Amino acid sequence: MTRLIDDVNEYSNLLETEDWRLFLSLHQAVDDKKHCQRNCQSCLEFSIMMNMLCDFFDGVQRKNEENDKLIAELHHLLGIPIASNHVSLALDLVISPSYVKEKIPANLVQPYEKYAIAIRREVSRLAMTHYLNKQNKCNLEILSHANLEQEQVTDYNPASTSAYEELLYVDQNVISKYANDNNFRRQIENFKRKASRQFIYSPYVIEDGVKMSRARLSEYFDSIEKLTDNTMLVRSKNGLILAKENAQITLDRVLLWKNVTRAAEDRKISVMNYNYWGHPYYSRGSKLSERANKDIHEFLASFRPYLCEVGVDVDLDDHDSDRALYRRLSAATIGKSFSLNALVNDSITHESDAQCIACIEHLCEFLDLINYQTEPLSELSKIRSSLQDTEHLKHAWKADYFVTDDRRLRTRGDFIYAKLGLRTKFIGTKDLKERIAGEFKD
């Protein structure tokens, strides 16, 4: 399914593969109940996938039947071999629209464009249904582990934030640099001794460590303890608190939630793919995304003329104007912890830690939607890691500094924290080194 969605050119090739023949064989077996009489989960999922494909095939066939005269003329003009498979026929005709339009008479261009759009919509509908189904599977996986919160073990020893002059939150790349760079490690230790500064992290730093080589995990934990004295920002009933906990206990808890974490990462990948197919005007490289990435503040400011509009008729054919973009993005914030108007006017409010955390999560989702500083869909591991980036942002705002060498995370974090009026500053390890050198120079 994914191969077909990612590249419709693959369809004709798929028909000749063993995978496709196995797929058809399984379809027949499930229909005839030859292999399974229990309606098991695997058969159910296979049936759902087959139903999605059948709907796609039927949709393409209807469009072909509605345009049979056009297709006959295209066959004659382009010399395309007659294809027995109606899906192959349709995809062959729409894969290279610019080429086809150069080769056909002017009176056929508009009908052809309408046909090509209709076929692409069928592909988009298949993709959206597929990725929505994958999201639902991830949600079910997460819900199936709803009891983990009662099973997990915590051993928090609360610490006072007022005991320190500065709190510096670090992520995995800073800890790894601390472990591997002796000069950097000495600078940090001298920096800590000169004033009452505390380097801190969150359980998601442990989660990042789990993805590293197991051979390096012991050294990683040792570096965390030396750098932070195992001092974390963690969730509590009252919001976020500073606490100490042995890294091994945190690790056991992270491993307990491993399947849930994986499902959440898979869900994020599915959501981003769904947005790509369902909202192409937001996709990477779109005019909207390019404007946002060039200057996010200027992009949002362009919506100011429409903030007070009430009762203005919607032009359904308007896809590119700022008014149309404003209405789409305004609808996208319905049910979120902020409105688009509040985002544009810098008036997002939060009265508790929980509300602030919700705002950070929803702002991350908004930036994902418009593809502001996002990872390419082909970079699955980076998209998975971006889930932890959001969690870092939901914790680090309690610190004075967030030290990270992840440029994308710093850029998004600067924007989000500024919109929420949070004082945390984002710096890289180079900035930290310069600050340390300047302090000791004085």
Side-chain angles (χ1 to χ4, degrees):
M1 179 77 80
T2 303
R3 286 171 62 187
L4 170 59
I5 292 169
D6 287 345
D7 184 2
V8 291
N9 290 293
E10 278 286 295
Y11 182 72
S12 295
N13 295 330
L14 284 173
L15 297 181
E16 306 300 324
T17 63
E18 286 296 327
D19 287 346
W20 186 258
R21 284 188 278 273
L22 175 61
F23 178 81
L24 294 179
S25 175
L26 286 172
H27 174 51
Q28 186 64 46
V30 170
D31 272 0
D32 296 343
K33 302 297 181 186
K34 290 179 180 177
H35 295 312
C36 181
Q37 300 291 334
R38 298 176 297 169
N39 292 319
C40 66
Q41 184 67 28
S42 297
C43 286
L44 176 61
E45 291 179 4
F46 183 84
S47 295
I48 291 172
M49 182 174 65
M50 196 64 221
N51 286 337
M52 286 190 283
L53 278 174
C54 287
D55 287 344
F56 170 64
F57 297 155
D58 291 344
V60 171
Q61 184 169 10
R62 284 195 299 271
K63 298 300 181 293
N64 284 355
E65 291 170 352
E66 292 167 5
N67 295 272
D68 56 344
K69 293 182 179 179
L70 171 67
I71 291 172
E73 290 192 64
L74 293 175
H75 264 295
H76 174 70
L77 290 167
L78 299 172
I80 300 174
I82 298 296
S84 59
N85 185 288
H86 62 271
V87 177
S88 293
L89 168 64
L91 297 181
D92 283 342
L93 289 172
V94 305
I95 282 171
S96 303
S98 58
Y99 174 81
V100 173
K101 285 188 285 186
E102 287 178 0
K103 300 297 181 181
I104 62 178
N107 65 308
L108 291 182
V109 170
Q110 187 174 11
Y112 169 74
E113 287 179 336
K114 290 177 64 177
Y115 171 72
I117 289 171
I119 296 300
R120 286 196 293 268
R121 282 177 177 166
E122 293 299 328
V123 176
S124 295
R125 187 175 292 113
L126 172 65
M128 291 169 65
T129 306
H130 171 64
Y131 286 114
L132 187 60
N133 181 59
K134 289 176 76 72
Q135 287 179 53
N136 290 334
K137 287 173 62 178
C138 293
N139 290 335
L140 288 173
E141 175 68 15
I142 293 169
L143 288 172
S144 71
H145 294 82
N147 62 331
L148 289 186
E149 194 166 353
Q150 286 72 45
E151 295 180 17
Q152 68 181 9
V153 175
T154 61
D155 187 26
Y156 297 148
N157 295 302
S160 172
T161 56
S162 61
Y164 306 108
E165 181 180 309
E166 286 181 346
L167 294 176
L168 298 96
Y169 183 97
V170 295
D171 63 2
Q172 176 268 325
N173 56 55
V174 177
I175 294 169
S176 294
K177 187 174 182 62
Y178 176 87
N180 299 324
D181 187 333
N182 292 332
N183 185 53
F184 181 60
R185 185 163 58 250
R186 283 193 298 269
Q187 287 178 303
I188 293 294
E189 293 307 316
N190 290 334
F191 184 63
K192 286 162 62 178
R193 282 192 290 269
K194 186 169 183 181
S196 180
R197 299 183 177 95
Q198 179 63 43
F199 286 82
I200 59 176
Y201 65 107
S202 74
Y204 295 93
V205 164
I206 303 295
E207 198 165 279
D208 289 332
V210 169
K211 297 178 181 179
M212 297 165 55
S213 166
R214 291 188 179 185
R216 300 179 59 186
L217 199 56
S218 177
E219 179 186 67
Y220 183 70
F221 282 175
D222 184 57
S223 297
I224 289 175
E225 182 174 4
K226 288 177 180 177
L227 176 61
T228 69
D229 194 25
N230 290 335
T231 307
M232 299 189 296
L233 279 166
V234 295
R235 300 279 185 94
S236 73
K237 292 180 180 179
N238 298 320
L240 289 174
I241 63 169
L242 202 63
K244 295 185 179 185
E245 183 179 57
N246 184 283
Q248 184 60 50
I249 295 176
T250 313
L251 174 62
D252 291 342
R253 190 164 60 253
V254 166
L255 294 177
L256 182 68
W257 287 86
K258 191 173 182 179
N259 289 340
V260 175
T261 300
R262 184 71 176 187
E265 292 172 346
D266 288 343
R267 183 183 182 279
K268 178 156 191 178
I269 291 172
S270 296
V271 168
M272 294 192 72
N273 276 286
Y274 180 88
N275 288 341
Y276 171 81
W277 288 99
H279 309 289
Y281 30 80
Y282 301 145
S283 62
R284 286 171 62 92
S286 66
K287 290 181 181 179
L288 183 152
S289 179
E290 287 180 352
R291 285 176 59 193
N293 281 280
K294 182 178 180 181
D295 190 329
I296 185 73
H297 302 287
E298 183 179 300
F299 171 70
L300 292 174
S302 69
F303 299 138
R304 289 191 183 280
Y306 316 108
L307 299 185
C308 298
E309 286 188 347
V310 178
V312 177
D313 291 337
V314 178
D315 183 356
L316 297 179
D317 294 324
D318 180 7
H319 299 287
D320 298 318
S321 73
D322 284 349
R323 175 182 275 112
L325 295 179
Y326 166 75
R327 289 182 174 277
R328 285 201 194 99
L329 292 177
S330 184
T333 60
I334 293 174
K336 302 295 186 184
S337 52
F338 61 89
S339 66
L340 181 59
N341 286 23
L343 178 59
V344 172
N345 284 327
D346 294 326
S347 58
I348 301 176
T349 59
H350 49 89
E351 298 178 357
S352 66
D353 286 4
Q355 288 180 2
C356 184
I357 290 169
C359 287
I360 291 171
E361 180 169 359
H362 292 160
L363 281 166
C364 285
E365 291 174 358
F366 179 83
L367 296 182
D368 285 346
L369 177 64
I370 64 173
N371 276 284
Y372 177 69
Q373 296 293 318
T374 55
E375 305 290 355
L377 287 174
S378 59
E379 300 282 358
L380 297 185
S381 62
K382 291 184 178 179
I383 295 175
R384 292 184 188 282
S385 294
S386 70
L387 183 73
Q388 279 73 46
D389 290 346
T390 299
E391 296 300 331
H392 286 312
L393 292 176
K394 286 156 68 173
H395 287 76
W397 62 277
K398 285 285 189 177
D400 299 288
Y401 293 91
F402 186 164
V403 189
T404 176
D405 285 332
D406 186 333
R407 181 198 59 79
R408 185 193 67 84
L409 176 56
R410 289 204 306 266
T411 303
R412 283 169 62 110
D414 266 331
F415 171 79
I416 291 170
Y417 282 14
K419 287 296 180 181
L420 296 177
L422 302 174
R423 61 181 176 81
T424 307
K425 297 178 182 178
F426 288 81
I427 60 174
T429 53
K430 181 181 178 182
D431 303 312
L432 180 59
K433 285 181 176 182
E434 290 175 353
R435 185 168 175 229
I436 294 172
E439 185 163 317
F440 279 93
K441 186 181 296 183
D442 296 340

